[in-house]
Amino acid sequence: IDDEALVGNAADVGAYVLEGFTELKSRHDMIGDVRGSGLFFGIDLVRDRATREPAPDKARTIVNAMRHKGILMSKIGEHDNVLKLRPPLCFSRENADLLIDTLDEVMNAA
């Protein structure tokens, strides 16, 4: 962990991913909130941002579509409407770009 500076990488890439997810939120009304710390992220999916009504069907659709594209994530939360991502500590900005671009593509189709 120290030799490969993985803690610093998690902070750097985590901030980069959070910024990318926040940008996705500006383009996709189904994203109610984006949270993250290091390389641990949650994306709250809603039917309506004003009412914050959960969108578990969208979460299920997105998790399955991402899996078909080779990216594993899960859904959690009381209503199963929060996308949960926990990439490994060696996750890079290039990996992050692929994740963000693929998620954008899948959300456009959902």
Side-chain angles (χ1 to χ4, degrees):
I1 290 173
D2 289 335
D3 292 346
E4 295 179 30
L6 294 178
V7 173
N9 182 66
D12 174 62
V13 177
Y16 181 77
V17 171
L18 201 55
E19 181 180 313
F21 287 165
T22 301
E23 200 276 320
L24 284 180
K25 180 181 175 186
S26 72
R27 295 198 317 260
H28 297 283
D29 290 338
M30 74 174 78
I31 299 177
D33 192 21
V34 174
R35 298 178 291 280
S37 179
L39 288 174
F40 189 32
F41 308 99
I43 301 174
D44 185 37
L45 300 184
V46 296
R47 294 187 198 290
D48 182 310
R49 281 189 190 163
T51 65
R52 304 279 303 179
E53 180 185 353
D57 55 329
K58 291 287 188 188
R60 183 176 47 255
T61 298
I62 289 168
V63 166
N64 286 328
M66 293 292 282
R67 185 183 73 243
H68 289 296
K69 294 186 175 287
I71 297 175
L72 299 178
M73 62 174 55
S74 60
K75 53 188 175 43
I76 61 170
E78 181 180 351
H79 303 286
D80 268 349
N81 68 308
V82 179
L83 302 177
K84 178 177 79 170
L85 297 103
R86 296 180 304 167
L89 290 176
C90 59
F91 200 68
S92 68
R93 284 181 176 239
E94 293 79 21
N95 299 138
D97 288 336
L98 176 63
L99 168 64
I100 294 163
D101 292 344
T102 305
L103 185 57
D104 187 31
E105 176 187 325
V106 165
M107 286 185 162
N108 281 327

